[in-house]
Amino acid sequence: MTPRRKRMMWAGLVVAGVALSVALATQAFRENLFYFYSPSQVLAGEVPTDKTIRIGGLVIPGSIERAEGSLTVNFLVTDTKETVPVEYTGILPDLFKDGQGVVARGRMGGDKFVASEVLAKHDENYMPPEVADAIHTASER
């Protein structure tokens, strides 16, 4: 094999390796991409039913119901215009409470959102940007 052919073979292998790396990174990114929706968008039917999504808003005071003897919690999330019931089974963050901003990741399960993860804001001055935008947009309508 001539030196030129060896260089061309190595260049081809490098290009193929880079292309494979880009393809795998793009696929991983798509699998881990979760779109954010407000309760108004959920009730308007704008959410995909076959994909994992995130919804966010404020927990309605007095709506938290804990199932006795299990880790299942039901609560309502609002963007001040519409309200979506959420069901979550697991340990909630310490900052989760009535009137608090939350973001929940999961799927629509019939007439409620079944969350696999619930995140709460970390202090009284912070609200996730998506939640703040959803509340602001809902209040303008």
Side-chain angles (χ1 to χ4, degrees):
M1 190 177 275
T2 65
R4 179 179 174 158
R5 284 187 182 240
K6 285 183 181 179
R7 282 192 309 266
M8 294 299 281
M9 182 181 72
W10 282 109
L13 288 173
V14 167
V15 168
V18 168
L20 179 64
S21 297
V22 168
L24 291 173
T26 302
Q27 180 182 359
F29 179 72
R30 286 187 184 149
E31 288 176 3
N32 291 315
L33 184 64
F34 303 110
Y35 292 102
F36 178 85
Y37 294 94
S38 69
S40 295
Q41 291 173 309
V42 170
L43 293 179
E46 298 176 18
V47 300
T49 56
D50 60 337
K51 294 188 185 240
T52 300
I53 61 168
R54 294 183 305 156
I55 67 165
L58 300 173
V59 177
I60 294 180
S63 70
I64 300 173
E65 298 175 358
R66 299 178 189 277
E68 193 171 318
S70 77
L71 295 176
T72 301
V73 179
N74 293 297
F75 56 94
L76 300 174
V77 173
T78 185
D79 59 4
T80 68
K81 184 177 180 187
E82 298 290 349
T83 302
V84 173
V86 177
E87 179 181 284
Y88 174 69
T89 302
I91 298 173
L92 288 166
D94 291 337
L95 296 173
F96 179 85
K97 61 182 178 182
D98 287 340
Q100 191 80 310
V102 296
V103 174
R105 181 176 65 168
R107 295 175 178 246
M108 288 304 297
D111 60 345
K112 65 183 169 188
F113 186 79
V114 180
S116 59
E117 180 181 27
V118 174
L119 304 171
K121 68 182 189 173
H122 71 277
D123 72 15
E124 61 203 39
N125 298 321
Y126 176 77
M127 183 174 294
E130 297 95 343
V131 174
D133 290 343
I135 290 171
H136 179 67
T137 302
S139 65
E140 288 180 348
R141 290 183 188 173

